[in-house]
Amino acid sequence: PSGPGVYKPHFWTVTALMPLLITLLKFTHMARRKLSDRYIRSLTKVSGGKSYAVTLPKEFVQKLKWRARQKLEIHMYGDRIIISDWKK
């Protein structure tokens, strides 16, 4: 299509911007974790520096029927941490 009001990008504009667009696309998608590593998680320092956080796999939370902001009990047994539902 041609005529008034029809935008035709200049070849040099598209060519010059392509490397930039490819770089931006690389950073917009998170890398997928390998299936064998799906239960390996990072320990993250929470702002303020007095606590740490670990994310839990969604399927674990769903299976236990936990919800966001639910109170949980945490115990340490030897070198293990046990997380369970808080009972009044």
Side-chain angles (χ1 to χ4, degrees):
S2 61
V6 175
Y7 175 72
K8 288 176 135 183
H10 295 286
F11 176 76
W12 64 268
T13 307
V14 175
T15 306
L17 292 178
M18 194 54 71
L20 176 62
L21 292 172
I22 290 170
T23 303
L24 290 173
L25 286 173
K26 286 180 184 176
F27 291 109
T28 58
H29 298 290
M30 289 182 62
R32 279 201 106 144
R33 188 181 298 271
K34 291 182 197 171
L35 209 51
S36 61
D37 293 340
R38 69 177 175 242
Y39 298 129
I40 296 174
R41 302 299 167 118
S42 297
L43 186 63
T44 307
K45 189 180 259 189
V46 178
S47 64
K50 295 186 179 186
S51 298
Y52 290 87
V54 176
T55 59
L56 301 173
K58 186 177 180 179
E59 65 232 32
F60 289 9
V61 174
Q62 289 173 338
K63 187 170 184 171
L64 293 167
K65 297 181 182 172
W66 288 355
R67 294 176 305 254
R69 304 191 51 82
Q70 179 170 339
K71 290 186 180 187
L72 302 172
E73 225 175 323
I74 302 168
H75 295 282
M76 191 163 172
Y77 292 103
D79 65 345
R80 309 275 180 193
I81 296 173
I82 308 296
I83 304 171
S84 57
D85 189 15
W86 179 67
K87 309 271 189 211
K88 282 188 178 184

